[in-house]
Amino acid sequence: MRLLFIVPVAVFLALVFGYPIGFNLWLTFQSFDLVSMISGVSEFVGLDNITAVLADPNFASAARNTAIFTVASIAIQFVIGMALALFFYNVFPLSKAIRALLVLPWLVPSIVATTAWRFIFKDPSGFANQLLGVVGIPPVHWLTSSDTALVSVIIINIWIGIAFNLVLLHSGLQSVPVDRYEAAQLDGAGYWQRFRHVTLPALGPVIAVLLVLGFVYTLKQFDLIWTLTQGGPGNSSQLLSTWSYTLSFNSNAFGQGAAVADFLFLASAIIIVVYTLVQRKQSNA
């Protein structure tokens, strides 16, 4: 009888997750282009696609940008989300309404958010440049300069992700027993000591899940970059995700695009495996 419950789930996972991953791995070892897509015939090339990707100078640039984009986004989102969660921990008038407004960026579709930010960062008459003009700072080419394009998309991604961090961390704070804070305060612990020795340990499982989900989501971010800069100018904001798309659909090198996607999948898999092992070790301790 148990198999009757397991089989539908297994079939669903195989079709929705297993097949796309398996097909991408198959593409990695094939010389696959538009002709192959039509004819259904492709040549096995072994590790040629992987070696070609690793030898391409764009790989190092895209990997570096991906690392900067991912680490900066996750770190700043977490810090701001934690600060806001602590701020809203104490209920005050309109606190729920304000918190609901802060969650809106997370609920807005990415294409809508990026379109709005395109107007904000528009050269030279965007809202951001108008604010800079008020204090006498010359306009900044936010999305069209190789010096600021990556920083600009990081800012936007942080803005989108703060709400997710706020929701999870605020929910986690509600589950921390109040008597722990009262006991720590009676022992003479200050605010920072209570945060360090009570709040952070209690939020440990929530923080771990939040960082893992944030890493996987940020690592595969595509639509935000593609809508705003398409990896430009001059590959200054090119990530592994956008480069994979470019190789596949702009350069007609689906095998190399699949190889780049494999690196993203491998990075995500490593993080998830490490998280699982750490959680298992803690639960057995």
Side-chain angles (χ1 to χ4, degrees):
M1 288 295 295
R2 293 181 180 179
L3 289 177
L4 295 178
F5 295 97
I6 296 176
V7 170
V9 176
V11 172
F12 174 80
L13 292 176
L15 292 176
V16 177
F17 297 101
Y19 175 76
I21 293 173
F23 184 73
N24 190 82
L25 288 173
W26 177 79
L27 281 179
T28 302
F29 303 103
Q30 303 291 320
S31 177
F32 198 91
D33 52 21
L34 289 176
V35 176
S36 303
M37 187 178 296
I38 296 172
S39 65
V41 179
S42 60
E43 179 185 358
F44 178 79
V45 294
L47 300 177
D48 288 357
N49 288 324
I50 297 176
T51 55
V53 164
L54 293 175
D56 194 318
N58 290 323
F59 176 79
S61 174
R64 181 181 65 251
N65 289 342
T66 301
I68 295 172
F69 179 81
T70 302
V71 173
S73 295
I74 292 175
I76 300 175
Q77 285 172 359
F78 175 77
V79 171
I80 298 177
M82 176 65 79
L84 290 173
L86 293 172
F87 176 74
F88 286 109
Y89 180 71
N90 297 313
V91 180
F92 56 88
L94 296 179
S95 61
K96 292 183 179 179
I98 297 174
R99 193 170 72 246
L101 289 175
L102 291 175
V103 175
L104 285 179
W106 183 39
L107 303 177
V108 174
S110 295
I111 189 65
V112 176
T114 52
T115 301
W117 276 97
R118 179 184 289 277
F119 283 101
I120 293 174
F121 283 156
K122 186 178 180 180
D123 294 336
S125 59
F127 181 69
N129 281 328
Q130 290 183 14
L131 288 180
L132 293 179
V134 172
V135 294
I137 300 177
V140 175
H141 301 288
W142 296 98
L143 299 173
T144 57
S145 171
S146 58
D147 296 327
T148 56
L150 183 61
V151 174
S152 299
V153 294
I154 289 174
I155 291 173
I156 299 171
N157 193 59
I158 290 171
W159 176 80
I160 294 174
I162 287 174
F164 180 67
N165 285 256
L166 168 59
V167 169
L168 287 190
L169 292 173
H170 186 266
S171 299
L173 284 174
Q174 305 309 307
S175 64
V176 181
V178 179
D179 56 359
R180 294 188 184 181
Y181 291 109
E182 295 174 347
Q185 194 168 8
L186 289 174
D187 290 338
Y191 181 83
W192 169 248
Q193 291 175 316
R194 294 197 301 272
F195 174 75
R196 180 181 177 184
H197 298 289
V198 177
T199 304
L200 283 181
L203 289 179
V206 175
I207 293 175
V209 172
L210 176 62
L211 294 180
V212 170
L213 292 178
F215 179 88
V216 173
Y217 174 81
T218 307
L219 191 67
K220 68 180 182 64
Q221 181 62 263
F222 170 80
D223 49 352
L224 185 152
I225 309 295
W226 195 256
T227 303
L228 292 170
T229 66
Q230 295 190 5
N235 290 329
S236 60
S237 61
Q238 188 83 275
L239 305 185
L240 289 175
S241 58
T242 56
W243 190 42
S244 174
Y245 180 90
T246 300
L247 285 172
S248 298
F249 296 99
N250 291 356
S251 301
N252 196 25
F254 289 92
Q256 294 182 25
V260 176
D262 289 337
F263 286 110
L264 292 173
F265 175 77
L266 180 61
S268 299
I270 291 173
I271 293 298
I272 293 173
V273 169
V274 170
Y275 167 76
T276 302
L277 293 177
V278 171
Q279 289 295 107
R280 183 176 298 176
K281 183 178 180 179
Q282 290 178 347
S283 61
N284 294 333

